[in-house]
């Protein structure tokens, strides 16, 4: 599994961005895929997860209704569509993957074995 995240940038509050995470290892369907983020001086926090084959989705309360996680299995890519962005969404966003993880572990960063390099999202007020 080799994850490569992209799509970050600078956007004004209320704007949108779409993050992408390509899995060059081609194991897209058999792995749970997730997005986490880490703001300066804060711990890494869960954002969203997509179950195997996109069977389920889970969101942090802080992004529910604004962010959408999705997969394109043919491209080996997981996306995070972020709408109505707020300054509090400013962080480095990381994609993660794991094959063994169970549903109750989706929100726990320590449960994921594979991580992308992160992409910076900055939301100005």
């Amino acid at each position: 599994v080799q994850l490569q995240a992209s799509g970050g940038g600078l956007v004004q509050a209320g704007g949108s961005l779409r993050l992408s995470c390509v899995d060059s290892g081609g194991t897209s369907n058999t792995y749970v895929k997730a997005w986490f983020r880490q703001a300066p001086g804060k711990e890494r926090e869960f954002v969203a997860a997509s179950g195997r084959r996109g069977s389920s989705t889970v969101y942090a309360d802080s992004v529910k209704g604004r962010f959408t996680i999705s997969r394109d299995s043919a491209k080996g890519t997981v996306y995070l569509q972020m709408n109505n962005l707020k300054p509090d969404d400013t962080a480095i966003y990381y994609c993660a993957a794991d094959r063994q993880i169970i549903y109750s572990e989706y929100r726990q960063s320590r449960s994921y074995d594979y991580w992308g390099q992160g992409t910076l999202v900055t939301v100005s007020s």
Side-chain angles (χ1 to χ4, degrees):
V1 177
Q2 293 183 324
L3 304 177
Q4 180 76 29
S6 63
L10 174 63
V11 64
Q12 289 187 332
S16 298
L17 282 175
R18 188 177 79 158
L19 305 183
S20 301
C21 179
V22 178
D23 176 7
S24 60
T27 57
S28 184
N29 274 347
T30 60
Y31 281 65
V32 173
K33 300 292 180 68
W35 289 95
F36 287 78
R37 66 187 182 186
Q38 188 166 16
K42 296 186 177 181
E43 294 185 353
R44 190 169 298 189
E45 66 173 359
F46 170 78
V47 176
S50 173
R52 294 171 183 83
R53 301 174 180 83
S55 57
S56 61
T57 55
V58 180
Y59 295 94
D61 288 345
S62 59
V63 306
K64 199 173 296 183
R66 299 188 298 123
F67 291 10
T68 303
I69 188 170
S70 62
R71 296 184 184 228
D72 184 333
S73 297
K75 297 181 179 180
T77 302
V78 61
Y79 301 99
L80 185 68
Q81 177 66 43
M82 306 186 295
N83 297 328
N84 191 22
L85 282 159
K86 304 176 181 180
D88 284 348
D89 295 319
T90 295
I92 299 174
Y93 283 71
Y94 299 90
C95 57
D98 198 90
R99 185 176 182 181
Q100 306 292 334
I101 195 171
I102 59 176
Y103 184 81
S104 61
E105 298 171 328
Y106 280 15
R107 299 172 183 265
Q108 302 169 10
S109 61
R110 65 178 182 270
S111 299
Y112 292 84
D113 285 341
Y114 302 99
W115 292 85
Q117 85 289 3
T119 184
L120 176 63
V121 173
T122 304
V123 184
S124 63
S125 58

